[in-house]
Amino acid sequence: MRKILIISLLIPAAVFLSSCAYGLYNFFGREDTVRTRAGSLAQLDTPSTVSESDTSYTVAVITDVHFGADKSRGVDDAFLVWLDGLEHESALPKFVLCLGDIAEHGYESEMEDYNAFCDKIREYGPEVYSVLGNHDLYNDGWQYWKKIVYPKTSFYHFKTNNFSWYFLDTGNGTLGTHQYSILIDALESDSAPKIVSMHYPVYAQGKFYFCLQDSVERNLLISYFADNNVKLLLDGHTHEYSRTDLGFIEYNVPGFLEKGQWALVTVNETAGTVTEKLVSK
């Protein structure tokens, strides 16, 4: 009886997954892995909008934009209207971060639509730095990400005047041992205050279903972040807002498409401090 019940559940699930737009193969395995994607930590130049005289400035943060989802997008125009409404050039964010799930199904067309949105943001001056999410890997989306989505890598780093910014690949729900080892070496050799961006949370106020799936990896990251001058961890995935003090601040940014919200992070390069607030369309 139990076997019959299991089979009766598995068969419709398999039919659904094989027919849905996310791709059955992508639920059980991929040719790419976090090891092949994040084989080394790429070093980028300092954003051109940040000058040596910039002691305090803001950065805009969006996440879970899900281009290709069956929803009315309004929020994209709202974000551009918000940028347009900033009275002075000095009030513009120096750059924009997107914390993953840029595409709903991992399709090339969805990533091109996202890139078109980013190009509109770039017309105002800020560059957009993107983080890989789990949805971006559906239907072999990595092959399109690395061609289309700036900076065409998933594990990278840059420095501003006094801060270091790290962007991690958690698209599979883990850093993996290789990326983890590279990251820890980088953190330990870098005394600067740090801001880390990734898709999956480490805690999200106890929503462990949505967090990095390896509890050991999660706990070690929390410890290393707290001990190595990480000031702020930015993540998404839950589509909900939360803010938790873990010895650093984990700021779980609400979903851009679903909630119509984004975050503003104010960085004080001189004092080595960060503050955050939400903006709604």
Side-chain angles (χ1 to χ4, degrees), residues 131-142:
V131 169
L132 190 70
N134 56 302
H135 275 251
D136 304 319
L137 293 174
Y138 293 156
N139 295 294
D140 301 314
W142 172 244

Side-chain angles (χ1 to χ4, degrees), residues 100-128:
D101 281 2
I102 68 167
E104 177 71 4
H105 310 99
Y107 293 156
E108 182 176 18
S109 60
E110 295 170 349
M111 297 192 187
E112 288 174 343
D113 288 344
Y114 169 74
N115 199 42
F117 171 59
C118 293
D119 282 342
K120 292 178 182 178
I121 295 173
R122 293 180 182 114
E123 291 176 6
Y124 292 90
E127 183 55 87
V128 183

